[in-house]
């Protein structure tokens, strides 16, 4: 009897060992594949371009006229009011149905059309990702607005193996839309705070830099950005410093500079309005002192620009008390060079219906 029991235990151990060995082998294969397929952009490379024929203006921008810029992190159309996100403490990896992505995309396009601007800085636009049901959001927005774009990847992974179920293939990035055609548009890499193997399937942050000629002979340099979110803080600091070094050099060269997007850092003076909770995801903090003399932040704290996605926001749409006490942030805005005057800046209160961020609209005037 003891001998038979011993043989059974030995057989079970062999099965467990074989299973563990097979799992380890498959994991090594996966690690090798995602390492080989890792997205490795150059420090600077041309951005992608897309033009809707017959819609663009090839002439230079008139610097005497106000310029409207709208910035919006659209959360790859998967983080509307009904959705949550696992990295923020929510339960969802992606919406259960493709229709949710399509609904959010329609709402985002409608909102963009209702708020016309000379430039749109849009972050988290997917082209062909499992998390957004492989819908080409870049093409859909460009065609709906009938407007050209430049585009830079900041998240491109053959397969993201986490969580369960996994994110899978990801192909997303930044898009700058404008009827004015840039003289040049480039992707400039930002510091990556992650090491191997996490780096292989993580975001590769960047600046999408476009140069638009002015009738004065100078340039309007736009920087569309989305800085680090889930690092230990060092990544945000390094990326912010790289951004500041770049925009200072452009201003010193005589250009007008607008840098805008999702900084994943709360702006000066906004913590008093929207306090952070140590138990939840917290952004970094931008200090006013980081800007050289004459530079300015352009941000509106009257309405939060981002909500925490630890749960569905749907109850807040009908319950003012829930909405009032939700964790909010002001992490979307702009940095402007000293030769630019702000005429207005406003966070549009879209109640996070279609994305976990609200759009921010800026009107500027270029100083003579």
């Amino acid at each position: 009897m003891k001998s038979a029991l011993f043989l059974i235990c030995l057989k079970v151990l062999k099965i467990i060992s074989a299973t563990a060995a097979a799992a380890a082998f498959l994991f090594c294969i996966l690690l090798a594949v995602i390492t080989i397929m890792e997205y490795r952009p150059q420090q600077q490379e041309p951005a992608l371009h897309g033009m809707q024929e017959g819609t663009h203006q090839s002439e230079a921008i008139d610097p005497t006229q106000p310029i409207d810029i709208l910035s919006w992190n659209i959360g790859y159309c998967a983080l509307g009011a009904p959705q949550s996100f696992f990295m923020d403490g929510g339960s969802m990896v992606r919406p259960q149905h493709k229709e949710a992505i399509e609904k959010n995309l329609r709402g985002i396009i409608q909102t963009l059309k209702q708020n016309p601007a000379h430039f749109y800085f849009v972050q988290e636009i997917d082209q062909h990702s499992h998390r957004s049901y492989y819908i080409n959001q870049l093409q859909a927005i460009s065609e709906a607005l009938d407007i050209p774009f430049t585009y830079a990847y900041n998240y491109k992974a053959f397969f993201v193996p986490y969580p369960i179920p996994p994110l899978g293939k990801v192909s997303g990035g930044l898009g700058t839309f404008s009827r004015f055609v840039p003289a040049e548009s480039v992707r400039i890499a930002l510091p990556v705070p992650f090491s191997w193997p996490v780096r292989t399937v993580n975001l590769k942050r960047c600046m999408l830099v476009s140069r638009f000629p002015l009738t004065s002979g100078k340039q309007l340099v736009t920087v569309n950005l989305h800085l680090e979110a889930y690092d230990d803080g060092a990544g945000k600091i390094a990326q912010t410093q790289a951004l500041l070094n770049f925009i200072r050099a452009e201003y010193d060269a005589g250009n007008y500079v607008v840098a805008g997007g999702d900084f994943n850092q709360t702006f000066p003076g906004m913590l008093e309005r929207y306090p952070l909770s140590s138990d939840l995801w917290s952004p970094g903090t931008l200090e006013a002192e980081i800007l050289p003399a004459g530079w300015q932040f352009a941000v509106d704290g009257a309405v939060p620009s981002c909500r925490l996605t630890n749960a569905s926001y749907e109850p807040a749409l009908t319950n003012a008390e829930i909405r009032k006490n939700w964790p909010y942030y002001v992490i979307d805005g702009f940095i402007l060079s000293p030769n630019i005057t702000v005429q207005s800046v406003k966070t549009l209160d879209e109640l996070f219906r279609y994305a976990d961020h609200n759009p921010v609209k800026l009107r500027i005037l270029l100083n003579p």
Side-chain angles (χ1 to χ4, degrees), residues 288-303:
E289 293 74 21
I290 69 169
L291 295 185
W295 289 77
Q296 61 183 312
F297 292 112
V299 61
D300 173 30
V303 174

Side-chain angles (χ1 to χ4, degrees), residues 208-269:
L208 175 55
V209 177
S210 301
R211 302 177 181 277
F212 296 90
L214 303 173
T215 55
S216 63
K218 296 186 178 182
Q219 291 183 332
L220 171 62
V221 178
T222 66
V223 183
N224 186 352
L225 58 92
H226 183 193
L227 302 186
E228 208 63 63
Y230 300 105
D231 65 317
D232 61 3
K236 295 182 186 67
I237 294 171
Q239 291 169 5
T240 302
Q241 189 58 55
L243 166 67
L244 293 174
N245 291 342
F246 176 81
I247 61 178
R248 278 198 297 256
E250 289 297 327
Y251 173 66
D252 290 342
N255 296 320
Y256 298 85
V257 187
V258 177
D262 179 359
F263 286 77
N264 271 313
Q265 298 167 91
T266 190
F267 289 86

Side-chain angles (χ1 to χ4, degrees), residues 273-275 304 313 315-317 319-328:
R273 188 183 294 263
Y274 304 103
Y313 194 71
L317 296 180
N319 190 314
E321 191 64 27
I322 294 176
R323 187 162 63 247
K324 177 182 177 182
N325 294 305
W326 202 275
Y328 295 118

